[in-house]
Amino acid sequence: MLAVAVLAAGKGTRMKSSLPKVLQPLAGATLLERVIKNSSCLNPDRLLLIVGHQAERVQQQLQNHPGKPEFILQQPQNGTGHAIQQLMAPLAEFDGNLLVLNGDVPLLKQETLAQLLAMHCQSGAEATLLTAMLENPNGYGRVFSNNDGEVTAIVEDRDCDCEQRQNKLINAGIYCFKWSALKKVLPTLSSENDQGELYLTDTIAMLNNAKHLIVSDISEITGINDRQQLADCEAMLQDRIRQHWLKEGVSFIDPKSCTISEETQFGRDVVVEPQCHFRGNCKIGNSCRIGPGSLIIDAEIGNDATVLMSVINSAKIGDGCNIGPFAHLRPQADLGENVRIGNFVEIKKSTIGSGSKVNHLSYIGDAKLGLNVNVGAGTITANYDGKNKHLSTIGDNSKTGANSVLVAPVTIGSNVVIGAGSTITKDVQDNSLAIGRARQYNKENYQSLN
């Protein structure tokens, strides 16, 4: 059996934020959510989140997490050893291994954790920890081991003497314990150290056959204590995501200028221009061209589509569509194949049939457009009566003239032409010409009358 404990009680004062450190966002997810996700591949039997600072807020954020976390309160926060001591009661009947993670170390790869657990189980060790070799180990606890690779001690940086500080093997703060052995020594921890805290690292010398695994990529153990480190982790994570998609057949003209959520999926032969950003669950089809300067949020884009300098939010775009520049597709916009949405056009909660065009300066909201509809420049569907939203329907092959207003609810039939400048308040039958404007009146000799 496996239990995963995540240390998430710290204040994070250096973040200078009202938000708990473990709830700081990183590429669309909180630090704590990322740590939990990294361990999910191990299929733990129990997930325990040790909380303290703003515990209620952390619990509220994670209470519906699919991992079914158990929240353990650490109050006050008196070191990592004290944090794990809080598990004595919740794990009183537990018999298995305990993986200890830090809520502010979000870049650990799933394969690294799997390797750590496998090494721990195969070696029969009572403790196995993740380590790294650093050229500049200042600030990190030093790991000391014998010729057989067994860890003999871990000394915190501030407790090291001059000779010990020369050691470049550092503790990454990730541990796997045999719980039955650990719970016997936890009550014996002492706070006689420079910080006056209970160190979990002190248990290593008390346990038998402690092993360590040196991580190959030191970026994985990067911790976050301030805004600069948060930005550094964002850059490393984004580079990791971009490298993946470059290998999968996506071209980035200027990779570092683009940001991508981990949930985003790309097809083959996609070209991403500079300054494009993908948020949430995006699906981009084959042979698309995105950008420059586009923001895509929770959107589905079909094959062979082009999006230029536009915002696409929770919308669905069919194959062969051409969007932008400066278009805004809002939630529940659903475009068929080969639709053209041009500059300064906003589409909201509307279905646009295949082959239709909305090229200029228009707002289409709460509407249903058929096939091959041509929407003239400046056309507005007036969908709101002050209390409720209403539907406008336009049939196949119809055309609206420039500066038309359709006052919903209204139904325009198929093969209809609406004269420019018309305000349409009544339904229009198929094959009709609809004109809803005042007759033009020219008053001659107007200037001579003034």
Side-chain angles (χ1 to χ4, degrees):
M1 296 183 70
L2 176 67
V4 173
V6 183
L7 306 181
K11 293 182 178 180
T13 53
R14 280 182 280 174
M15 295 299 297
K16 306 291 185 183
S17 174
S18 61
L19 196 66
K21 179 169 67 171
V22 294
L23 296 186
Q24 294 292 331
L26 179 66
T30 67
L31 302 185
L32 187 52
E33 287 169 333
R34 290 195 168 279
V35 172
I36 295 172
K37 181 180 179 181
N38 293 342
S39 65
S40 63
C41 68
L42 304 177
N43 297 314
D45 299 282
R46 297 178 67 177
L47 172 63
L48 304 107
L49 306 184
I50 302 173
V51 296
H53 178 63
Q54 296 195 41
E56 292 182 359
R57 191 169 184 179
V58 176
Q59 185 169 348
Q60 183 179 13
Q61 177 80 17
L62 276 296
Q63 62 184 353
N64 296 321
H65 192 279
K68 299 180 180 180
E70 304 169 47
F71 296 91
I72 311 299
L73 183 64
Q74 181 194 9
Q75 203 65 264
Q77 290 87 55
N78 191 32
T80 54
H82 179 254
I84 301 303
Q85 282 180 346
Q86 309 313 303
L87 302 181
M88 295 288 287
L91 295 181
E93 304 300 323
F94 179 75
D95 185 20
N97 292 314
L98 175 69
L99 178 65
V100 179
L101 304 175
N102 287 294
D104 60 357
V105 181
L107 299 186
L108 274 171
K109 296 178 181 178
Q110 293 185 352
E111 49 265 37
T112 299
L113 290 178
Q115 187 179 359
L116 178 69
L117 180 60
M119 179 181 181
H120 176 76
C121 295
Q122 292 167 8
S123 68
E126 292 184 342
T128 308
L129 57 144
L130 199 63
T131 58
M133 294 294 295
L134 297 185
E135 283 301 315
N136 181 10
N138 290 339
Y140 290 91
R142 307 306 200 277
V143 177
F144 297 88
S145 62
N146 60 27
N147 293 333
D148 295 325
E150 295 183 357
V151 177
T152 56
I154 302 175
V155 183
E156 296 298 323
D157 181 69
R158 63 177 64 198
D159 296 317
C160 287
D161 58 31
C162 292
E163 182 178 353
Q164 289 172 325
R165 284 198 172 90
Q166 302 307 309
N167 182 9
K168 295 182 178 181
L169 183 65
I170 64 98
N171 174 28
I174 310 299
Y175 313 91
C176 196
F177 294 102
K178 184 178 180 181
W179 174 245
S180 60
L182 180 63
K183 69 180 181 180
K184 292 178 182 178
V185 301
L186 278 173
T188 68
L189 290 175
S190 170
S191 61
E192 293 183 4
N193 52 61
D194 187 64
Q195 286 187 284
E197 294 183 347
L198 300 178
Y199 292 156
L200 182 61
T201 51
D202 288 347
T203 65
I204 300 299
M206 306 176 189
L207 297 171
N208 294 322
N209 190 25
K211 296 288 188 178
H212 73 99
L213 173 68
I214 299 178
V215 66
S216 57
D217 180 1
I218 61 173
S219 71
E220 290 188 50
I221 63 169
T222 302
I224 295 176
N225 293 301
D226 55 35
R227 302 281 184 171
Q228 181 60 58
Q229 291 173 337
L230 183 65
D232 292 342
C233 274
E234 179 81 36
M236 286 186 280
L237 182 57
Q238 288 298 323
D239 187 62
R240 187 185 293 179
I241 295 171
R242 290 189 297 262
Q243 288 294 328
H244 168 78
W245 287 114
L246 285 166
K247 293 176 182 177
E248 292 296 319
V250 178
S251 293
F252 293 91
I253 304 303
D254 183 11
K256 290 187 179 299
S257 72
C258 300
T259 58
I260 310 165
S261 67
E262 289 180 306
E263 294 77 18
T264 294
Q265 298 291 316
F266 294 96
R268 296 289 176 89
D269 297 313
V270 174
V271 177
V272 180
E273 298 274 5
Q275 297 295 335
C276 287
H277 306 280
F278 301 85
R279 302 280 185 267
N281 186 13
C282 298
K283 296 180 180 179
I284 315 299
N286 297 323
S287 303
C288 289
R289 193 171 192 95
I290 310 297
S294 293
L295 173 62
I296 316 296
I297 307 169
D298 292 317
E300 182 177 344
I301 300 176
N303 300 322
D304 301 297
T306 299
V307 178
L308 172 63
M309 288 185 282
S310 295
V311 176
I312 314 295
N313 184 5
S314 303
K316 184 177 180 181
I317 298 173
D319 296 347
C321 288
N322 196 324
I323 312 299
F326 311 118
H328 185 187
L329 271 59
R330 293 169 54 192
Q332 299 184 56
D334 189 347
L335 279 54
E337 297 180 359
N338 301 308
V339 170
R340 172 74 176 100
I341 304 297
N343 35 234
F344 302 105
V345 171
E346 181 179 356
I347 310 290
K348 170 255 178 186
K349 198 178 179 181
S350 297
T351 301
I352 312 295
S354 296
S356 294
K357 298 178 181 179
V358 189
N359 276 322
H360 324 281
L361 305 162
S362 296
Y363 170 70
I364 305 297
D366 296 276
K368 183 178 180 180
L369 277 61
L371 306 176
N372 301 308
V373 173
N374 188 78
V375 176
T379 294
I380 303 295
T381 58
N383 55 340
Y384 186 49
D385 64 6
K387 292 184 179 180
N388 300 300
K389 300 291 180 69
H390 299 282
L391 179 69
S392 297
T393 301
I394 304 178
D396 298 344
N397 304 305
S398 291
K399 301 176 182 179
T400 71
N403 202 33
S404 297
V405 179
L406 309 183
V407 182
V410 67
T411 297
I412 309 301
S414 299
N415 301 299
V416 168
V417 175
I418 295 177
S422 293
T423 299
I424 303 299
T425 60
K426 298 179 180 180
D427 294 350
V428 181
Q429 301 302 312
D430 294 349
N431 305 305
S432 299
L433 168 65
I435 302 174
R437 61 188 185 218
R439 184 183 297 275
Q440 180 173 329
Y441 177 74
N442 295 339
K443 187 174 182 66
E444 298 180 358
N445 302 314
Y446 173 74
Q447 292 296 333
S448 65
L449 297 177
N450 292 313

